[in-house]
């Protein structure tokens, strides 16, 4: 009756072992099932980066002394606002001279196109009549002297003098006749073409002088903030010497990096949001303007060590920034909704050119 006791103890020892084996088998099956499942799709795509610094180095397109600078560092400016001016004394004088040359060339061309005035034609006719009368009188004198010379009643010298006077009178009559013909015909077409070319050259010189005068003013090419005032009044300006540095603040764009696995879900023109630590809990509306066509490795400065080896695509996400709250160089998180987020039909938005009021 006492012998079966060891068998009962052996069965009791096997039960924990069987339980562990069953748990391991179930756990392995669960892990295998989890590995075969596709990764969960989140409602948003999160990418990280910084607001890129966009600056414009503003320089005069001319060489002269700076007369005045109208802005200081930190001033906000609008597109087309006057920022600085050069001394325009020489430029204004050159423009005035060019304008006078245009007027002279225009009057010359008008005179040629109008031809001879009626008074000039009358004058030419009168000159021809006078030349004919002189020729007739000299012809009579020559005839008289010639008859007397043949009768030895007049010297040969007086006869020859009268003959030469007749020849001069004849030439003058022919010259007056040609002058009248030219007055009636008007100027040659070649002279008119020359005058037209001279007028065009004068107008081109005037346009260039006015362009130089306009280049004496330095205007803001876009909305922004003056970052640096490099030159001062009295300095010599030139096209290769910037006067001011302008930060372009509206719109701004964030340089972020899109993982390769998200490339099929994100397109230019899709809406997005910017989040920054400076304004916790606030999202700034944005849009995707550019996605690089070339893959690169994740920059270590903006990503975690777990994904540094991933291939990513550089992306620009634009946002309007009229009040300047988004600062250049600030780190941001870009949130891209997946649901109902299709690229807009506005082509400029896809290129980062969406207007900002």
């Amino acid at each position: 009756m006492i012998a079966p006791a060891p068998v009962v103890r052996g069965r009791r020892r096997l039960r924990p072992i069987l339980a562990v084996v069953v748990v391991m088998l179930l756990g392995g099956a669960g892990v295998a099932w989890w590995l075969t499942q596709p990764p969960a799709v989140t409602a948003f795509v999160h990418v990280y980066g910084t607001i890129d610094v966009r600056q414009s180095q503003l320089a005069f397109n001319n060489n002269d002394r700076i007369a005045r600078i109208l802005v200081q560092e930190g001033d906000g400016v609008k597109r087309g606002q006057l920022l600085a001016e050069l001394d325009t004394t020489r430029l204004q004088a050159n423009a005035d001279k060019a304008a006078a040359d245009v007027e002279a060339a225009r009057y010359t061309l008008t005179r040629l196109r109008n031809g001879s005035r009626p008074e000039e034609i009358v004058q030419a006719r009168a000159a021809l009549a006078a030349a004919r009368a002189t020729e007739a009188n000299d012809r009579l004198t020559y005839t008289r002297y010639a008859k007397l010379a043949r009768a030895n009643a007049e010297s040969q010298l007086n006869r020859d003098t009268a003959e030469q006077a007749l020849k001069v009178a004849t030439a003058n009559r022919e010259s007056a006749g040609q002058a009248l013909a030219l007055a009636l015909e008007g100027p040659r077409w070649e002279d008119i073409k020359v005058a037209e070319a001279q007028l065009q050259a004068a107008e081109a010189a005037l346009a260039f002088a006015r362009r130089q005068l306009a280049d004496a003013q330095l205007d803001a090419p876009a909305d922004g903030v003056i970052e640096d005032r490099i030159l001062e009044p009295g300095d010599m300006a030139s096209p290769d010497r910037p006067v001011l540095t302008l930060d372009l603040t509206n719109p701004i764009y964030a340089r972020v990096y899109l993982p390769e696995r998200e490339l099929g879900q994100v397109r230019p023109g899709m809406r997005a949001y910017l989040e920054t630590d400076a304004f916790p809990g606030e999202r700034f509306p944005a849009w995707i303007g550019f996605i690089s066509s070339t893959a690169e490795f994740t920059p270590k400065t903006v990503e975690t060590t777990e994904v540094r080896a991933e291939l990513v695509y550089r992306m620009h996400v634009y946002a309007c920034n009229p009040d300047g709250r988004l600062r250049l160089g600030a780190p941001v998180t870009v949130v891209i909704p997946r649901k109902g987020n299709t690229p807009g039909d506005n082509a400029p938005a896809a290129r980062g050119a969406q207007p900002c009021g």
Side-chain angles (χ1 to χ4, degrees), residues 7 25 44 53 74 77 87 90 133 140 174 177 183 186 202 204 217 232 254 264 272 282 290 309 312 353 356:
V7 177
L25 291 175
F44 300 93
V53 177
V77 299
D87 182 8
R90 295 183 304 105
L140 291 174
E174 292 177 354
Q217 294 186 339
E232 294 295 333
E282 185 172 358
F290 163 77
V312 294
C356 291

Side-chain angles (χ1 to χ4, degrees), residues 60 64-72 83-87 229-237 243-244:
F60 285 102
D64 219 312
R65 297 284 178 186
I66 299 176
R68 58 178 183 156
I69 299 178
L70 306 176
V71 291
Q72 300 291 336
L83 306 179
E85 284 184 320
L86 295 178
D87 182 8
R229 181 166 158 161
I230 303 171
L231 299 182
E232 294 295 333
D235 287 336
M236 192 68 181
V243 180
L244 302 166

Side-chain angles (χ1 to χ4, degrees), residues 256-260 263 290-299 310-315:
V256 296
Y257 296 87
L258 182 69
E260 186 179 19
L263 187 61
F290 163 77
I291 301 177
S292 174
S293 58
T294 304
E296 54 187 288
F297 287 105
T298 309
E310 286 190 3
L311 288 178
V312 294
Y313 293 82
R314 180 167 52 92
M315 183 169 65

Side-chain angles (χ1 to χ4, degrees), residues 8 57 77 82 101 184 190 210 217 225 236 238 240 246 299:
V8 173
Q57 302 295 323
V77 299
L82 178 63
D101 291 340
L184 294 173
E190 294 91 341
R210 286 176 174 171
Q217 294 186 339
V225 176
M236 192 68 181
S238 63
D240 58 348
L246 177 66

Side-chain angles (χ1 to χ4, degrees), residues 27-40:
V31 169
W33 176 85
W34 179 79
L35 292 175
T36 57
Q37 297 303 307

Side-chain angles (χ1 to χ4, degrees), residues 42-44 270-271 336-342:
T42 60
F44 300 93
M270 294 176 64
R271 71 179 186 278
I336 307 172
R338 295 181 186 270
K339 185 177 181 181
N341 192 2
T342 57

Side-chain angles (χ1 to χ4, degrees), residues 15-79:
R15 287 175 182 175
I17 297 174
L18 292 174
V20 170
V21 171
V22 170
V23 169
M24 293 179 63
L25 291 175
L26 293 176
V31 169
W33 176 85
W34 179 79
L35 292 175
T36 57
Q37 297 303 307
V41 178
T42 60
F44 300 93
V45 177
H46 291 79
V47 288
Y48 308 91
T50 58
I51 297 178
D52 216 1
V53 177
R54 301 169 59 221
Q55 293 182 331
S56 177
Q57 302 295 323
L58 306 182
F60 285 102
N61 192 24
N62 218 334
N63 297 283
D64 219 312
R65 297 284 178 186
I66 299 176
R68 58 178 183 156
I69 299 178
L70 306 176
V71 291
Q72 300 291 336
E73 294 176 352
D75 288 350
V77 299
K78 296 295 184 181
R79 178 184 178 91

Side-chain angles (χ1 to χ4, degrees), residues 34-329:
W34 179 79
L35 292 175
T36 57
Q37 297 303 307
V41 178
T42 60
F44 300 93
V45 177
H46 291 79
V47 288
Y48 308 91
T50 58
I51 297 178
D52 216 1
V53 177
R54 301 169 59 221
Q55 293 182 331
S56 177
Q57 302 295 323
L58 306 182
F60 285 102
N61 192 24
N62 218 334
N63 297 283
D64 219 312
R65 297 284 178 186
I66 299 176
R68 58 178 183 156
I69 299 178
L70 306 176
V71 291
Q72 300 291 336
E73 294 176 352
D75 288 350
V77 299
K78 296 295 184 181
R79 178 184 178 91
Q81 179 179 336
L82 178 63
L83 306 179
E85 284 184 320
L86 295 178
D87 182 8
T88 60
T89 303
R90 295 183 304 105
L91 298 173
Q92 184 64 57
N94 190 34
D96 293 341
K97 178 183 178 301
D101 291 340
V102 168
E103 288 298 314
R106 183 174 292 118
Y107 286 135
T108 299
L109 178 60
T110 302
R111 174 172 57 82
L112 292 175
R113 285 177 173 172
N114 291 338
S116 302
R117 292 181 297 177
E119 295 81 2
E120 293 175 336
I121 296 176
V122 171
Q123 184 181 18
R125 292 185 188 276
L128 178 59
R132 287 174 175 172
T134 302
E135 180 188 20
N137 183 64
D138 289 343
R139 189 179 301 279
L140 291 174
T141 302
Y142 167 70
T143 302
R144 185 168 52 251
Y145 275 103
K147 290 180 179 181
L148 293 174
R150 286 195 296 268
N152 294 323
E154 189 60 69
S155 65
Q156 188 67 29
L157 176 61
N158 290 336
R159 182 257 179 207
D160 293 340
T161 301
E163 183 180 9
Q164 294 302 320
L166 175 60
K167 291 181 179 179
V168 171
T170 301
N172 289 337
R173 188 261 306 163
E174 292 177 354
S175 176
Q178 294 298 327
L180 176 60
L182 289 176
L184 294 173
E185 182 69 20
R188 299 175 57 176
W189 67 269
E190 294 91 341
D191 295 335
I192 295 177
K193 291 297 182 181
V194 170
E196 290 176 348
Q198 290 175 344
L199 176 59
Q200 291 176 358
E203 289 175 341
L206 176 60
F208 180 71
R210 286 176 174 171
R211 180 69 264 176
Q212 285 186 315
L213 189 60
D215 288 340
Q217 294 186 339
L218 185 61
D219 299 329
D223 296 353
V225 176
I226 300 299
E227 174 71 19
D228 195 9
R229 181 166 158 161
I230 303 171
L231 299 182
E232 294 295 333
D235 287 336
M236 192 68 181
S238 63
D240 58 348
R241 295 188 66 188
V243 180
L244 302 166
T245 300
L246 177 66
D247 291 340
L248 306 177
T249 58
N250 191 35
I252 53 92
Y253 75 86
R255 180 193 295 265
V256 296
Y257 296 87
L258 182 69
E260 186 179 19
R261 62 179 179 274
E262 303 288 355
L263 187 61
Q265 304 296 321
V266 179
R267 294 286 186 274
M270 294 176 64
R271 71 179 186 278
Y273 303 95
L274 296 184
E275 296 179 350
T276 177
D277 295 338
F279 302 97
E282 185 172 358
R283 286 182 172 181
F284 296 87
W287 69 94
I288 299 172
F290 163 77
I291 301 177
S292 174
S293 58
T294 304
E296 54 187 288
F297 287 105
T298 309
K300 298 181 180 180
T301 56
V302 297
E303 295 292 350
T304 61
T305 56
E306 289 79 4
V307 295
R308 284 179 182 173
E310 286 190 3
L311 288 178
V312 294
Y313 293 82
R314 180 167 52 92
M315 183 169 65
H316 292 176
V317 180
Y318 290 82
C320 295
N321 189 33
D323 51 5
R325 292 199 296 168
L326 296 173
R327 299 301 180 116
L328 303 182

